[in-house]
């Protein structure tokens, strides 16, 4: 499933679109992916016994401790990193073209990734349900424009 997400991310990156449009499509895809693969994301926050049973992963060899949240296994981390790098490349492309301001693309993607995960795993204070398009538009607009009042 991560390989599928990586391949689709590459397709977005290779489209003849400006960086903002590519970023919007990637945000839309990732949010949709989270919706389609709800159970997969839950696996990563399970207890050790469930991880071993469902993924056939020996958690004792992963360096996990009972008191710590388990880390994502290295094989999955590598696949997630490939997707992350596509996101970084899109941001860097936007910086080079002058579409985005000059900043650290990896830091932008760390924040964007956290924003996407946090938005998907809604907390107790969020009472409104957003459609996939509403979620995409809200996050894309926030990433591009933040909360600053440009009229000042």
């Amino acid at each position: 499933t991560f390989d599928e997400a990586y391949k689709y991310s590459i397709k977005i990156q290779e489209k003849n679109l400006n960086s903002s449009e590519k970023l919007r499509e990637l945000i839309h895809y990732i949010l949709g992916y989270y919706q389609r693969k709800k159970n997969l994301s839950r696996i990563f926050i399970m207890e050790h016994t469930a991880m071993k049973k469902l993924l056939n992963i020996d958690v004792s060899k992963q360096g996990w401790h009972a008191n710590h949240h388990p880390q994502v296994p290295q094989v999955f981390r590598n696949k997630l990193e490939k997707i992350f790098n596509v996101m970084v490349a899109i941001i860097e492309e936007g910086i080079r073209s002058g579409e985005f301001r000059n900043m650290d693309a990896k830091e932008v993607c760390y924040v964007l990734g956290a924003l996407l995960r946090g938005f998907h795993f809604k907390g107790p204070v969020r009472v409104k349900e957003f459609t996939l398009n509403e979620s995409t538009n809200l996050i894309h607009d926030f990433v591009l424009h933040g909360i600053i009042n440009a009229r000042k």
Side-chain angles (χ1 to χ4, degrees):
T1 188
F2 291 135
D3 291 334
E4 166 194 321
Y6 172 68
K7 288 175 186 173
Y8 197 82
S9 298
I10 290 292
K11 285 182 183 180
I12 293 170
Q13 181 186 13
E14 293 174 345
K15 286 185 174 187
N16 188 23
L17 300 170
N18 67 36
S19 300
S20 175
E21 291 166 334
K22 289 179 186 182
L23 185 61
R24 186 193 182 292
E25 282 201 26
L26 190 59
I27 290 169
H28 185 82
Y29 178 75
I30 291 170
L31 288 171
Y33 179 87
Y34 283 158
Q35 285 181 356
R36 290 186 306 277
K37 309 290 185 183
K38 286 180 186 173
N39 291 332
L40 181 67
S41 56
R42 289 185 182 125
I43 288 172
F44 290 117
I45 58 173
M46 285 185 190
E47 63 173 72
H48 297 182
T49 306
M51 288 281 276
K52 184 174 182 177
K53 184 183 279 188
L54 291 173
L55 297 177
N56 196 27
I57 295 172
D58 185 354
V59 295
S60 64
K61 293 181 181 177
Q62 295 293 327
W64 296 343
H65 305 286
N67 298 341
H68 294 88
H69 179 71
Q71 293 181 343
V72 176
Q74 190 61 45
V75 66
F76 295 137
R77 290 176 59 87
N78 292 343
K79 291 175 184 291
L80 291 169
E81 188 173 342
K82 288 170 64 174
I83 298 166
F84 176 82
N85 288 335
V86 171
M87 189 184 301
V88 169
I90 291 171
I91 299 296
E92 288 174 339
E93 176 186 306
I95 292 169
R96 280 191 307 277
S97 72
E99 189 176 349
F100 302 150
R101 67 182 170 91
N102 191 16
M103 61 188 119
D104 186 305
K106 285 186 178 183
E107 289 178 1
V108 171
C109 293
Y110 289 132
V111 172
L112 178 56
L115 183 61
L116 290 167
R117 286 185 303 278
F119 198 87
H120 175 71
F121 297 106
K122 51 191 165 224
V125 296
R126 188 168 110 193
V127 293
K128 179 181 178 183
E129 281 297 318
F130 295 93
T131 67
L132 179 56
N133 283 332
E134 289 172 331
S135 299
T136 299
N137 292 336
L138 183 63
I139 291 173
H140 183 253
D141 183 63
F142 185 80
V143 169
L144 292 181
H145 306 288
I147 61 172
I148 194 163
N149 185 350
R151 291 179 273 172
K152 281 193 156 190

